[in-house]
Amino acid sequence: MPELTLTLKQDKRTVAVACDGTESHTFSLLDLSFTKAQVEAFFTRPAEYGGRLYQALFPPDSASREALRAGGTLILRLEDSQLNQFPWEYLHDGKRWLAAEYGLVRTVPPVSVPPGLAAPERLRLLFVPADPLLHGDQPAPYRLGLDAEWDDLLRDLQTADPAVDLIRVRPPTAAALQSAAAGMQAGIVHFTGHGTVEKDTAYLLFEQENGAAYPLKADQFAAFLRGKAALVVLSACLSATPGESLEANLAARLCAEGTPFVLGMQLSVPDLAARRFTNAFYHSLFAGESVYEAARQGRLAVLNDPALPEAQRELLMGLPALYAADPSLPGLLRPAGNGLRLADLPRPALEGLPTIESGFFGRQRELVEIGSLLTADRARDGETFAPRVVTLHGVGGVGKTALLIKAAVRFGWHFRDGVLAVPLEPLPSLEQVFDRLEKFLALPEGGLLERPARAARLLTALQGRNLLLALDNFESLFKARESRADEQKETAALLYEFFEQTPARGPALLISSREKTELPGERLAPVHGLADEAGAALFHSLVTARRAELTAGACLAVSRAVDGHPLALRLLAPLFDRGEGRDVQDFLNHLEENLRKAAKKMARGGRHDTLQACFDFSLSHLEKTEPALAGALARLSQFSGAFPAWLAAPVLYGRGRILESEESQNKAFQEAAATLLRLWEFGQLEREVLPLDKTTALDFYSLHPALRPFAAERLSKEEIASAEDGFFLAMQHLGRICYPASEGGGIHARYDLALTALRALPDLRRAAGLKSDADGAALRFYAAFLLTHFGDLDGAMQRYQQALAIDEGLGDLQGKSATLHQMAGIYVTRGDLDGAMRLYQQALAIDEGLGDLQGKAATLHQMAGIYV
């Protein structure tokens, strides 16, 4: 493609322009000077200044104007650093942007030129995503969409499939970059993050291991990459800032140091615009286009992107600046071969933890503190490593779970064997926890082993593992110890014993808990309410209908009133939205009055705190405006796990309405769905949406553990009995339709049932113990079947034995036979064929006595299998 080179050389206030080595004309720097008003106008009408730039470089009758042809590459050789401060990318001839018409590139005089770079057979691309939590001692002003940018780049490369080694540099520290660049030749370094200029010196904000910022000077960054990179892409604000000194312009500095091609941003650039540019740039580059053409395509993508504000597209188009150390190079970087290779850590396995629907605000300082604890050197007092347990300690609803999720994601890079979340609320069985760990560690299923042997095998497998276990709601173990149910006490004791032994084996524990765990090596990270500004931002984000009434001062006042408690703010925002208070001040007055009442109750020895005061305030509004919703919420405190609408309906409306008729039942399910949605809109419930396919999804709701006791307190004894009866009916129905002999084929035929049953296991266990009659035996039988399905053979056997005792007491021989049959199946699974045969023989005798030929045939079939 044709090239046009303009060489600009400054002599005091006059600039001489040469066109392809031939003198063209001169212009005065005063022609390009900015007044304050012109600077302001530039950001809304950049074409006006672009016209002045065009007249300076391409005046009428000049050689440069005559040489300008459509297409090709336009090279600007800037012989003096002062010329680098002008935004040449906005050249505009009155009809078009030259940077979108040509591959516009700048070049600057070299400071030092390293040896030439030979093109490798495989190209290494280092993606460096840096988004520090603290800039100095201040929280970062905003967060970047680094994962989205990585996903975009990965998708484009997977489509093109070039011979590229794509490496995500984590942590994004200077040392990690230096290590990743070792041995690299003619590679690409893509830095995405923040840039800054201080005292005429450009910096890129890398991170320290704990997430705080580490400003790296331009010359230090250049020194890391000298002789290693063919292209550096700086997707960072202010990385090509106009300035007289090379030290103030990182992109120009790198180019002068000999990096063949450098892309930087002249000003602060919105995250979305930067992504649009780099997406199109890499798509073109790895399709075989030159760097110059790829940059042009990137500008065109920004100019024509409907997702960007139309008034800003022209300004955003010109922000990227392309520098070339030697524009005579062709700029083709795609390797000849194919075969993308990816080097990245696996994403943390956080399934089972809630989605942070309301966003994440503040907490930068807490995250840095947690990062320091998680990434610190584990050597202590001559030991190889010390046990590491970091406990996020705070009151209910203060945001410990959200902080645990963010910390696990941000510092997951430190754990080469991965990050695994283990939710402990509602309390899982020991077998569920073991099954989760076994699958994560790729161990053979351990359901056939006795508990001690299974635990020992897991602890051996964990030996020396650099693994992070994120244990959410650890206080559930302590609560279970106080339970009246012996099984829960035993489960809590065994889980605590297992986690007590885990840190000494190697894994680190990141725990959220309302109580200290007293595990070995525990370090507490206190979690308090959000800082004033973060709490105000959270409240503002949650208000929608009345947001126009809010002021910054009002949001701050609400946050301060509840000490920045996130769950309290989540309760208050919908309350304000739904009309509580004539205006913001009236709302604040009502809130403060409610908080004063709570404080008086505390003085009299009451249990009220800020969260309960806000809950009461919210519920009192519901009781006045929609009393049925307030009553529904109290009844839903029966659930400890997540539930869909059809499972909640019996709890909300009672046994009679559900069993009245199919029409009544379906109507109850519809009303339950509407009720749960309304309660979620009021901030009283949490919601998890699980896609089943492209068109359908399951909505699961849950009551926050910190709110459940407050809601339960509002039920009378009669309401508790009614809600509990509906709860038992719901669990009985779930167990029945999950059983394979059901009309729909049960859990093996329906994935939605599997998802529902898995979340309902803790509630199934509790419900199974509510009755000791025939219905109680049936529910124990169904619960045992589901526990077997999910790998808890000990829990299943315990419930089968309970069901068997009830069947014997009732003289229910058919139920006894079915239960013996299932118990024998567990013996077979565990390899005790003699024990299984004894149970099958008992079942066979019952079948014969009842004249149950179908049951007899099934039992004989199983016995024949044992003989085989």
Side-chain angles (χ1 to χ4, degrees):
M1 295 184 70
E3 291 183 358
L4 174 61
T5 300
L6 299 185
T7 304
L8 280 62
K9 190 168 184 178
Q10 180 182 344
D11 182 12
K12 296 182 179 179
R13 294 186 178 274
T14 301
V15 178
V17 180
C19 176
D20 288 334
T22 302
E23 291 185 8
S24 173
H25 63 282
T26 62
F27 67 88
S28 172
L29 284 178
L30 295 176
D31 295 339
L32 301 181
S33 62
F34 273 109
T35 66
K36 183 178 180 181
Q38 288 170 332
V39 170
E40 294 173 353
F42 174 79
F43 289 97
T44 56
R45 302 186 303 277
E48 292 182 7
Y49 189 76
R52 293 171 60 188
L53 291 171
Y54 181 80
Q55 289 300 319
L57 295 191
F58 303 99
D61 302 325
S62 65
S64 59
R65 174 76 72 92
E66 289 295 324
L68 194 59
R69 297 287 184 270
T73 304
L74 177 58
I75 302 166
L76 301 181
R77 289 189 177 277
L78 308 175
E79 295 291 332
D80 298 276
S81 58
Q82 186 176 357
L83 296 172
N84 206 48
Q85 66 182 304
F86 297 105
W88 302 109
E89 287 67 27
Y90 292 95
L91 281 161
H92 194 271
D93 67 0
K95 295 181 180 179
R96 57 185 181 168
W97 301 96
L98 268 62
E101 182 73 18
Y102 298 88
L104 180 64
V105 60
R106 303 184 185 202
T107 185
V108 293
V111 174
S112 61
V113 180
L117 296 171
E121 292 184 5
R122 293 192 62 83
L123 185 146
R124 194 183 310 179
L125 196 164
L126 306 182
F127 181 84
V128 188
D131 194 12
L133 296 162
L134 296 178
H135 295 183
D137 61 348
Q138 294 301 313
Y142 56 87
R143 312 264 23 100
L144 299 175
L146 302 185
D147 284 338
E149 190 166 351
W150 165 260
D151 291 340
D152 290 343
L153 176 59
L154 179 58
R155 183 179 59 251
D156 285 338
L157 286 173
Q158 285 173 333
T159 301
D161 192 35
V164 168
D165 295 325
L166 177 60
I167 300 171
R168 192 174 190 178
V169 179
R170 292 197 290 182
T173 62
L177 173 63
Q178 185 178 19
S179 175
M184 183 169 72
Q185 289 185 323
I188 297 176
V189 176
H190 180 110
F191 177 92
T192 181
H194 302 273
T196 187
V197 177
E198 294 181 10
K199 297 181 180 179
D200 291 331
T201 299
Y203 296 87
L204 286 178
L205 294 185
F206 278 72
E207 294 182 18
Q208 302 175 46
E209 289 194 347
N210 65 2
Y214 180 79
L216 189 69
K217 288 183 179 180
D219 57 348
Q220 294 171 322
F221 183 70
F224 279 137
L225 303 180
R226 188 175 298 130
K228 299 179 181 298
L231 168 66
V232 175
V233 177
L234 302 171
S235 184
C237 299
L238 309 180
S239 55
T241 304
E244 295 186 14
S245 168
L246 277 181
E247 298 296 337
N249 187 320
L250 179 57
R253 174 76 191 194
L254 287 171
C255 185
E257 291 276 357
T259 301
F261 301 101
V262 186
L263 258 171
M265 301 295 173
Q266 300 188 68
L267 299 169
S268 294
V269 56
D271 201 22
L272 179 58
R275 282 176 53 201
R276 288 292 180 267
F277 178 86
T278 53
N279 288 355
F281 175 80
Y282 281 119
H283 181 80
S284 296
L285 188 68
F286 288 110
E289 302 281 7
S290 70
V291 175
Y292 317 111
E293 176 60 14
R296 188 178 77 88
Q297 291 296 330
R299 299 186 196 285
L300 286 170
V302 174
L303 270 174
N304 296 290
D305 188 353
L308 295 170
E310 185 174 1
Q312 296 182 23
R313 292 178 203 163
E314 294 179 346
L315 177 68
L316 299 174
M317 173 279 305
L319 292 183
L322 174 63
Y323 287 82
D326 183 0
S328 65
L329 295 174
L332 297 172
L333 299 184
R334 180 189 165 113
N338 289 76
L340 176 69
R341 292 197 300 236
L342 175 65
D344 187 28
L345 295 171
R347 294 193 176 183
L350 303 180
E351 294 80 9
L353 297 183
T355 303
I356 308 172
E357 286 191 309
S358 56
F360 189 80
F361 293 82
R363 303 293 194 197
Q364 290 95 333
R365 290 189 174 87
E366 291 97 324
L367 280 168
V368 167
E369 178 186 356
I370 295 165
S372 297
L373 293 172
L374 288 176
T375 62
D377 186 1
R378 299 189 72 168
R380 186 180 69 183
D381 300 330
E383 299 177 8
T384 304
F385 63 85
R388 176 168 302 159
V389 177
V390 178
T391 300
L392 313 184
H393 181 243
V395 298
V398 79
K400 301 183 297 296
T401 296
L403 188 56
L404 176 138
I405 292 170
K406 286 294 179 182
V409 171
R410 175 168 274 274
F411 303 109
W413 58 263
H414 187 72
F415 303 93
R416 66 174 181 273
D417 293 319
V419 178
L420 174 66
V422 181
L424 298 174
E425 173 64 43
L427 188 69
S429 68
L430 186 70
E431 285 72 21
Q432 280 180 282
V433 173
F434 284 178
D435 182 62
R436 194 175 181 92
L437 281 165
E438 287 163 352
K439 288 177 179 176
F440 186 79
L441 297 173
L443 294 176
E445 185 179 346
L448 303 182
L449 300 172
E450 297 293 335
R451 280 177 170 176
R454 193 175 184 184
R457 187 185 72 152
L458 265 174
L459 289 170
T460 299
L462 290 170
Q463 185 70 41
R465 296 264 189 171
N466 186 17
L467 169 71
L468 179 66
L469 295 180
L471 309 180
D472 189 36
N473 288 311
F474 199 88
E475 70 276 354
S476 296
L477 272 64
F478 304 127
K479 186 170 61 177
R481 286 178 176 178
E482 302 169 2
S483 169
R484 296 178 183 177
D486 291 337
E487 184 187 8
Q488 279 210 319
K489 288 182 179 179
E490 182 185 15
T491 296
L494 291 171
L495 282 172
Y496 188 90
E497 181 183 355
F498 179 79
F499 291 132
E500 191 176 34
Q501 298 176 67
T502 300
R505 305 286 175 146
L509 305 184
L510 178 63
I511 296 172
S512 72
S513 180
R514 299 181 208 174
E515 302 179 37
K516 298 177 182 179
T517 69
E518 304 298 341
L519 292 172
E522 181 179 34
R523 299 288 298 276
L524 293 181
V527 183
H528 304 293
L530 295 169
D532 289 346
E533 292 77 9
L538 173 59
F539 182 74
H540 185 271
S541 73
L542 293 170
V543 173
T544 55
R546 300 178 68 184
R547 185 175 290 175
E549 299 179 37
L550 294 177
T551 63
C555 293
L556 281 171
V558 173
S559 178
R560 287 168 179 160
V562 297
D563 296 322
H565 194 292
L567 184 52
L569 291 168
R570 206 183 82 191
L571 291 170
L572 294 175
L575 185 59
F576 175 70
D577 246 348
R578 300 291 172 181
E580 176 65 33
R582 296 183 305 275
D583 53 30
V584 179
Q585 188 56 53
D586 190 38
F587 176 79
L588 278 168
N589 292 341
H590 291 178
L591 171 61
E592 289 168 357
E593 179 184 356
N594 207 69
L595 292 170
R596 282 194 298 272
K597 289 179 181 177
K600 288 180 180 178
K601 290 181 181 179
M602 287 182 67
R604 295 197 300 269
R607 294 174 49 253
H608 283 265
D609 57 15
T610 297
L611 179 58
Q612 182 161 1
C614 291
F615 180 78
D616 291 342
F617 185 26
S618 178
L619 259 290
S620 65
H621 178 85
L622 266 185
E623 287 167 342
K624 288 184 293 185
T625 59
E626 300 187 51
L629 280 183
L633 182 67
R635 297 176 76 92
L636 291 172
S637 62
Q638 289 289 319
F639 291 99
S640 60
F643 48 87
W646 60 268
L647 208 56
V651 179
L652 295 175
Y653 308 123
R655 175 182 294 267
R657 185 172 172 191
I658 298 300
L659 299 180
E660 179 183 335
S661 66
E662 185 176 350
E663 181 182 356
S664 175
Q665 183 183 95
N666 290 335
K667 188 174 181 182
F669 289 170
Q670 293 171 4
E671 291 178 9
T675 295
L676 296 182
L677 180 61
R678 290 284 289 155
L679 285 170
W680 173 74
E681 290 172 345
F682 268 99
Q684 304 291 343
L685 292 179
E686 298 179 332
R687 184 176 68 173
E688 179 186 16
V689 180
L690 293 179
L692 290 178
D693 51 44
K694 292 182 179 179
T695 58
T696 58
L698 285 179
D699 289 346
F700 286 97
Y701 293 89
S702 59
L703 184 58
H704 194 286
L707 298 182
R708 194 177 301 128
F710 303 153
E713 286 177 354
R714 306 177 83 89
L715 287 175
S716 66
K717 289 184 179 180
E718 294 77 13
E719 288 171 326
I720 291 174
S722 172
E724 195 171 80
D725 184 56
F727 174 72
F728 182 90
L729 179 64
M731 294 298 114
Q732 188 180 43
H733 177 66
L734 174 63
R736 185 184 302 114
I737 63 175
C738 284
Y739 196 63
S742 66
E743 184 177 340
I747 196 170
H748 299 299
R750 291 178 54 186
Y751 179 57
D752 61 320
L753 282 183
L755 291 174
T756 303
L758 182 60
R759 282 158 178 75
L761 279 182
D763 287 320
L764 276 164
R765 289 194 194 94
R766 185 174 81 83
L770 291 177
K771 295 185 179 184
S772 297
D773 54 9
D775 286 340
L779 183 51
R780 283 176 171 87
F781 180 87
Y782 293 135
F785 163 75
L786 286 170
L787 290 171
T788 303
H789 178 81
F790 290 114
D792 184 359
L793 300 186
D794 289 329
M797 183 61 79
Q798 185 178 26
R799 280 160 185 80
Y800 279 134
Q801 289 168 341
Q802 293 168 359
L804 185 65
I806 296 173
D807 291 335
E808 289 175 339
L810 295 173
D812 182 359
L813 295 180
Q814 192 169 17
K816 180 178 178 181
S817 173
T819 303
L820 287 169
H821 200 278
Q822 294 295 332
M823 293 170 69
I826 292 180
Y827 277 111
V828 171
T829 300
R830 285 187 157 164
D832 185 357
L833 302 187
D834 292 332
M837 184 63 81
R838 285 192 295 270
L839 294 181
Y840 280 132
Q841 287 168 343
Q842 292 180 47
L844 183 64
I846 295 172
D847 294 337
E848 289 175 335
L850 293 172
D852 181 0
L853 297 181
Q854 190 174 6
K856 180 179 178 180
T859 304
L860 287 169
H861 181 81
Q862 295 298 331
M863 294 171 72
I866 291 179
Y867 280 115
V868 170

